[in-house]
Structures are given as C-alpha cells and as structure tokens.
Amino acid sequence: MTVRRMSPAEVLATYRPAFGGPGWKRAIRGLLADPGSAQRVELLRVELVRHGGFAEPIVVEPARREILDGMHRIAAAVLSEHDTLEVADSYADLPDRRRVQVVLGAGTAVGSWAVDRVAGALRSFPFAGGWTTCAGLFPGEREIVGWWHCPAGRDEALGAELIGRAARAGVRLTLGPITAIDDSDDQG
C-alpha cells in the first residue's frame, strides 16, 4: 500500500485539479460556487476538525500528476489550514470497502434528467461514522440503480438516507432491493 502524508501546499504544487480550471484557486472557487459542492466541503471541514483527518486518503495518478478522487477534501484542508493530507497512488491502495447495489423506484419512466437531479444529493455524503460514495448511478425503466460503499449491517439505514436525500432534492423515490456486490471477480 502506497499511502503517504503531504502538506496541502505540496499537494497543490504537485498535482493538477481534476476539474474547475487549470489552477487551484479557480478550482476551489468553482467548488465553493456550487451549492452542493460547498455543502460537501463544509461537511468535510467539520469532519477534519472533529477527527483530525479524513476517513480515506485522496487518490492521485502520480505519473500524470492528477487528482483522481479528493477535490472536496483538498478544498476543506486548504480552507481549514490543515497540516497534512494522506495521499494514495491508486484506488488499490485504499482499504477494502463493501459495496451494495441499491434500486430506487420512481413509479414512472425515468430518464437521465432524474439521475441528474438527484446525483449531487446522492453521490457522496457522511454516513455511518465515515463517508459513502456512489460508484455509479443509472436510470432504469421505472427506477434508478446505483452502487454505494456501505458498512455491513447498515444497508437499510443507507437506503433510508438515500430516499431522504432524494426527497430534499425534489425527487420522490421508494426503496427497492439492496444487494451486496461481490468484487472478487474484479480483482483480476
């Protein structure tokens, strides 16, 4: 496992932002201009103060000097003037996490518009003493299907949280099946 500690200044000097422009000032300003992203950054700042760090390291692509995952955490660390960030060189360096597939019933035909409407609310949020992140969200015939990281024994709580977050985004969904995903075939 290749995880190391770097100061936020070192991260900014070494890696390019994943989105939001060519420079970090512009990228962070762009994150804070989006209400959903600004809320996520603020939640991460609270986590940083409460726990002294984040549940997972940011993920980078060292050869291309790019951020793969962690823009909101970087913004939270910079704004909080935090001393260090944990940095992983690949997703394989992250701790193993359990994934579940969740089916969210819509009752009517679903298009990409419905996914777009709830994506920000369902993508990444604090859950069960850490964070859950959506690995994919797709429309079905009368449903939205997604994959989230979820601790064992917390499936129903995750489902309830997803329904509540969708409702706050203005989309009424019902909870369908929640199925654990076996990633052993993906480990090639």
Side-chain angles (χ1 to χ4, degrees):
M1 183 192 276
T2 307
V3 176
R4 64 192 172 287
R5 290 187 169 279
M6 295 176 75
S7 72
E10 290 173 306
V11 170
L12 300 182
T14 305
Y15 302 102
R16 289 186 301 274
F19 53 84
W24 279 102
K25 282 186 181 181
R26 186 174 179 184
I28 291 173
R29 201 170 34 245
L31 280 173
L32 298 176
D34 175 72
S37 287
Q39 180 184 26
R40 199 169 303 135
V41 169
E42 189 55 35
L43 289 170
L44 285 163
R45 287 181 74 182
V46 169
E47 179 180 348
L48 188 57
V49 169
R50 186 175 292 151
H51 302 290
F54 299 116
E56 289 190 3
I58 64 169
V59 181
V60 300
E61 177 15 82
R64 293 192 319 251
R65 298 171 57 121
E66 294 177 348
I67 301 297
L68 299 178
D69 183 42
M71 290 285 294
H72 294 90
R73 282 171 278 166
I74 292 168
V78 168
L79 294 171
S80 299
E81 299 179 359
H82 193 65
D83 293 337
T84 60
L85 287 166
E86 288 187 332
V87 178
D89 288 340
S90 75
Y91 286 104
D93 292 332
L94 297 178
D96 289 335
R97 298 192 322 178
R98 180 177 173 270
R99 285 193 319 151
V100 295
Q101 176 182 308
V102 181
V103 177
L104 301 167
T108 61
V110 173
S112 60
W113 62 269
V115 172
D116 291 345
R117 193 160 176 194
V118 297
L122 303 184
R123 185 183 181 287
S124 179
F125 52 89
F127 178 73
W131 279 77
T132 186
T133 303
C134 180
L137 197 60
F138 301 95
E141 189 172 318
R142 293 177 173 264
E143 61 199 15
I144 297 173
V145 180
W147 295 265
W148 284 267
H149 297 286
C150 183
R154 301 288 296 162
D155 295 4
E156 293 302 320
L158 174 63
E161 182 69 22
L162 294 171
I163 297 302
R165 287 178 167 274
R168 289 189 294 279
V171 179
R172 185 165 185 240
L173 299 172
T174 59
L175 184 59
I178 301 174
T179 310
I181 304 296
D182 180 7
D183 290 329
S184 62
D185 294 337
D186 297 338
Q187 303 301 321

